[in-house]
Each structure stands twice: as structure tokens, then as C-alpha cells.
Amino acid sequence: MGDTIAIATVALILHIWSAVVWVGGMFFAHMILRPAAAPLEPGPRLELFLRVLNRFFAWVWGAIGLLLLSGYAMIFGVYNGFTGIGLHIHLMQGIGIVMMLLFLHLYFVPWRRFRAAIARQDYPAAGVQLSQIRLIVMTNLILGLVTVAVGGSGRYWG
């Protein structure tokens, strides 16, 4: 029983921290940084987003890895597989996978195009890609907030 408690404790802490980093970072980028940067000229604004998102996306990759590792450590190390988990964990996993797929698309399509447009100082093209990134981040933020609510409240559903 001691090993199970240790696995559950460490995995749950890592899981929560990873979700906070990812969802909190999206909240900051969408609700705080974006409006604060709006008055800047296009060049400096887009360069700022390049630097901020480049750093943030590195943290997102780490968060995704830890979410998967810690989530499956709990499923298999604590609950002995999928048959031992509740509906809320299935929902959290499903929404989380959708979020990860959206992030993969964001990273490998509009983010690559955004960086290339910035490199050639094509700010109108970069702006178009940043709009795509913003839409995906907003979608993932909503999904992330739902996932946090499901994960945090699901054990009390009955």
C-alpha cells in the first residue's frame, strides 16, 4: 500500500503542476499578453509573440510529457488499469488527447509558418498565422478549463 500512495502522490502533484503550467500559460497569453500587446506596432508585437511563445511552447512540450507520464502512472500504478477508473478520468484523458492533438497542429503548422514569416519580416503573413494560433489557444484554453473542472470535481459525481 505504501508504494501505491507514493506513486499516487508524486504522479498527482506532477499532473497538477503540468496542467497549471499549460492551462495557466494559455490564460496568460490569451487574456493578459494579447490585449496588453495590442497597441504595439505590428513588427515589435509579432516579435514579442515570437519570443514569448517560443519559450512557452518548450514548457508545453514538457507539460504534455509529464501529463501523459503521470496520468498513466496513476491509471496503471494506482487503479490497476482502465477498468478501475471513473468516468471523469476517461473524460479528462479524452479531452486532454484532443488538446494535445490541437497543440501538435498548432506547433507544426501555424507556428512554423509564423516563425518563417517573422524571419523574412513578412508581418502581414505572420499576423494571419498568429490569428490561427490565437484561435487554437482559445479553443485549448476552454478545453483545458473544462478538463480541470472535470478532473477536480469528478470524484464527487456519485
Side-chain angles (χ1 to χ4, degrees):
M1 190 57 135
D3 287 344
T4 301
I5 292 171
I7 290 169
T9 302
V10 171
L12 186 58
I13 289 169
L14 291 173
H15 206 73
I16 292 167
W17 283 349
S18 298
V20 167
V21 166
W22 190 6
V23 177
M26 290 187 295
F27 182 89
F28 170 78
H30 188 71
M31 303 301 291
I32 311 301
L33 178 63
R34 186 181 59 84
L40 297 174
E41 293 294 321
R45 184 181 71 245
L46 294 166
E47 296 280 349
L48 173 65
F49 273 101
L50 174 70
R51 291 189 306 276
V52 169
L53 293 177
N54 196 49
R55 293 176 64 96
F56 176 57
F57 290 162
W59 282 93
V60 172
W61 281 110
I64 287 172
L66 280 175
L67 285 164
L68 290 169
L69 182 67
S70 60
Y72 291 120
M74 286 185 282
I75 288 171
F76 294 107
V78 177
Y79 297 106
N80 295 318
F82 289 102
T83 57
I85 62 176
L87 173 63
H88 67 290
I89 297 175
H90 287 288
L91 289 171
M92 187 171 32
Q93 174 188 235
I95 298 168
I97 289 170
V98 170
M99 290 176 65
M100 291 172 200
L101 292 172
L102 284 169
F103 175 74
L104 289 171
H105 171 73
L106 178 158
Y107 190 84
F108 289 110
V109 181
W111 176 242
R112 280 193 173 173
R113 291 178 185 159
F114 176 78
R115 290 186 324 205
I118 293 291
R120 52 179 201 275
Q121 295 185 339
D122 183 353
Y123 296 127
V128 168
Q129 296 307 311
L130 189 59
S131 292
Q132 288 293 311
I133 291 167
R134 181 190 62 78
L135 180 63
I136 296 168
V137 167
M138 183 179 66
T139 303
N140 256 358
L141 174 58
I142 292 166
L143 291 173
L145 291 171
V146 168
T147 305
V148 168
V150 167
S153 68
R155 76 181 98 182
Y156 303 110
W157 292 356

